[in-house]
Amino acid sequence: MATSASPSGPDGERPGPRRYLVVGDTELAVRVCRVLEDAGHALAHLRRPSDDELRTELGYGVSGVAVLMRDDVSVLRYTLAVSHVDTEVAIVASIFDRTIGGELTRLLPHVVVTSPAALSAPILADQVTRAVATPRRRLRLPVLRRSPWRALDPGSRMLFAGATGLATVLLVDFVWLVLSHGGDALLSLREAALVVATVGPGDVNAGRFYVVFSAVAMLATLALTAMFTAGLVEGLVRQRLATVFGRRSIPRRDHVVVIGFGQIGYRLCLELQARGVPAVAVERDAHAKNLRLARGAHLPVVIGHGDDRELLQALRIDRALAVAGVGADDLDNVAVAVAAHAVAPDVHVVLRAGEQEAVAETRSLLPLGETHDVHALTTSYVCATLLGSAPVRLVVVPHLGIDAVGSDGSLTRYASPARRECSHRVS
């Protein structure tokens, strides 16, 4: 992106100087400060202020406040504190939880709630689903996209293998006895069930071969029952993030592999789900906060490292629509892109960026894929809202910046500011 950071309207005019307060210790907060500073506005930047410090800065008078922190609780606390001191000042708060955000805007109409995840998920989804429209890809019925035989966790494989084996023994025994009994289906079903239960067969005249078969079948049933039970118990005791059947089963083709199940990864999976595109997420932290949300949202998640070649092969990225590297660390996303291209050279890769320059530098050396600066998107939205023209949507303009489209159709372009520290930090 260009290095100029000053926003300008369609007529080239710049808004008059105002004073703003930015609260937060994140890279996003620093970027918002730089954009407002380059636009000629006065501002104060407080990292984690006390109530007295907050009251002092608000006492000087501000045109708007941006509360940009990583955790929703801190954002909520500072937003309420600002509203207590000044009940009318415009506030932009970065809150991930939609329930908290919705309730906050209902109670405080002058607060605008957004988050990097909410802003970037639709744009990332547009990029990763681009392959849907290409001739070489054809969306198939959901039942054909998923293969329970290739479940990634051992518990699911044992459960499915045991259930399939028991069903096969029952079916073969039933058909054999139906043919032997001249079509007596009820008697045949009863005798086949006795064999699967390892208490039969009864006194049936099916020949010596059937006696041998039933003996082998009962011995095999013992092992199959043990496998089925072990898989069932593991699923009941341990939190299962992916199932053998159903909406949380792992898709095998025409899907999107989302690496990183943080705020952006979770929202991206929800956006893809709403568009009817199957997705599977990969999260390396077995105790990640968003894993508790996966079950209720019917999202399959696999615990592992996104740059693991064997895992990427097991997830069949060679049949995937795209791979999205949306982890919190830019370098991890670069590693995901390199590993994905090593497994499937033609796979479409989309990367999240914004924290480091590593992605931009590496992109000049390797064809990593499409890169989106999540912080640039959020910075554009926050600054446009603070300046009084809350955009209805954002449009990424390659190599130029981001256009904030207002409700009246007006455009305000924001370019990525130069990477430097904010010069107006107070604490």
Side-chain angles (χ1 to χ4, degrees):
M1 288 186 178
T3 58
S4 174
S6 300
S8 59
D11 55 0
E13 296 182 356
R14 292 171 56 180
R18 305 170 186 171
R19 187 173 188 276
Y20 294 96
L21 171 62
V22 177
V23 179
D25 54 358
T26 61
E27 169 67 18
L28 174 60
V30 174
R31 286 202 184 192
V32 170
C33 283
R34 292 197 299 258
V35 171
L36 294 175
E37 179 184 12
D38 290 346
H41 298 286
L43 59 94
H45 180 190
L46 306 178
R47 285 181 173 271
R48 288 186 173 269
S50 64
D51 290 344
D52 290 338
E53 292 172 332
L54 198 62
R55 189 177 295 107
T56 299
E57 289 301 323
L58 291 173
Y60 296 134
V62 294
S63 299
V65 178
V67 184
L68 310 171
M69 310 189 84
R70 287 185 174 85
D71 61 294
D72 291 350
V73 175
S74 296
V75 175
L76 180 61
R77 183 255 182 190
Y78 282 114
T79 301
L80 294 176
V82 172
S83 297
H84 178 72
V85 177
D86 190 336
T87 58
E88 296 182 356
V89 65
I91 303 175
V92 182
S94 176
I95 295 181
F96 169 71
D97 189 281
R98 289 182 289 187
T99 302
I100 297 177
E103 189 66 14
L104 184 62
T105 54
R106 186 185 70 83
L107 296 174
L108 303 175
H110 60 284
V111 176
V112 176
V113 173
T114 187
S115 72
L119 294 173
S120 61
I123 295 176
L124 291 172
D126 289 339
Q127 299 299 326
V128 299
T129 57
R130 180 181 299 174
V132 174
T134 60
R136 72 185 187 89
R137 298 281 190 183
R138 292 183 300 107
L139 289 180
R140 298 170 172 81
L141 294 175
V143 69
L144 299 178
R145 296 184 188 146
R146 306 173 187 269
S147 173
W149 283 108
R150 304 197 62 171
L152 295 182
D153 62 293
S156 295
R157 288 198 296 266
M158 287 192 297
L159 178 65
F160 185 74
T164 302
L166 292 173
T168 301
V169 171
L170 181 64
L171 179 62
V172 172
D173 201 336
F174 172 74
V175 172
W176 192 323
L177 292 176
V178 165
L179 297 177
S180 301
H181 290 166
D184 192 340
L186 291 178
L187 179 60
S188 299
L189 180 59
R190 175 180 178 275
E191 297 297 334
L194 289 175
V195 171
V196 173
T198 68
V199 296
D203 186 14
V204 295
N205 185 19
R208 293 185 176 180
F209 288 110
Y210 176 74
V211 173
V212 175
F213 165 77
S214 61
V216 173
M218 284 188 288
L219 292 175
T221 298
L222 292 175
L224 293 172
T225 302
M227 294 176 59
F228 177 81
T229 304
L232 183 61
V233 170
E234 183 181 0
L236 294 175
V237 174
R238 183 177 60 85
Q239 181 185 15
R240 179 164 290 169
L241 301 175
T243 58
V244 178
F245 298 103
R247 296 171 63 181
R248 288 197 298 127
S249 59
I250 299 175
R252 312 307 307 176
R253 63 174 67 247
D254 297 328
H255 58 295
V256 176
V257 179
V258 179
I259 310 297
F261 199 63
Q263 294 184 1
I264 294 178
Y266 171 66
R267 286 287 178 85
L268 176 57
C269 288
L270 289 181
E271 184 73 22
L272 293 171
Q273 185 183 70
R275 301 185 184 197
V277 178
V280 55
V282 178
E283 173 57 48
R284 64 183 179 184
D285 184 2
H287 303 287
K289 294 181 179 180
N290 287 338
L291 292 180
R292 59 185 174 84
L293 304 174
R295 183 186 296 271
H298 305 289
L299 299 173
V301 182
V302 176
I303 301 299
H305 289 265
D307 56 355
D308 187 336
R309 183 185 184 96
E310 294 184 359
L311 178 58
L312 294 176
Q313 290 174 335
L315 292 174
R316 297 310 305 265
I317 67 168
D318 58 318
R319 297 182 179 180
L321 296 175
V323 174
V326 292
D329 191 307
D330 290 354
L331 292 177
D332 287 343
N333 295 333
V334 171
V336 167
V338 174
H341 282 301
V343 174
D346 296 330
V347 69
H348 184 55
V349 177
V350 177
L351 299 180
R352 164 195 174 178
E355 296 286 351
Q356 302 169 351
E357 293 288 353
V359 173
E361 295 171 355
T362 310
R363 183 173 51 183
S364 64
L365 302 176
L366 297 172
L368 295 179
E370 297 187 61
T371 304
H372 292 280
D373 191 334
V374 172
H375 283 332
L377 290 170
T378 314
T379 299
S380 302
Y381 184 91
V382 171
C383 291
T385 304
L386 287 175
L387 295 174
S389 58
V392 294
R393 63 189 178 95
L394 300 174
V395 179
V396 178
V397 183
H399 310 298
L400 294 178
I402 297 171
D403 286 342
V405 183
S407 58
D408 58 353
S410 61
L411 296 179
T412 304
R413 177 160 296 174
Y414 294 84
S416 180
R419 301 184 71 87
R420 66 177 187 278
E421 286 298 317
C422 175
S423 60
H424 289 76
R425 182 175 298 139
V426 175
S427 62

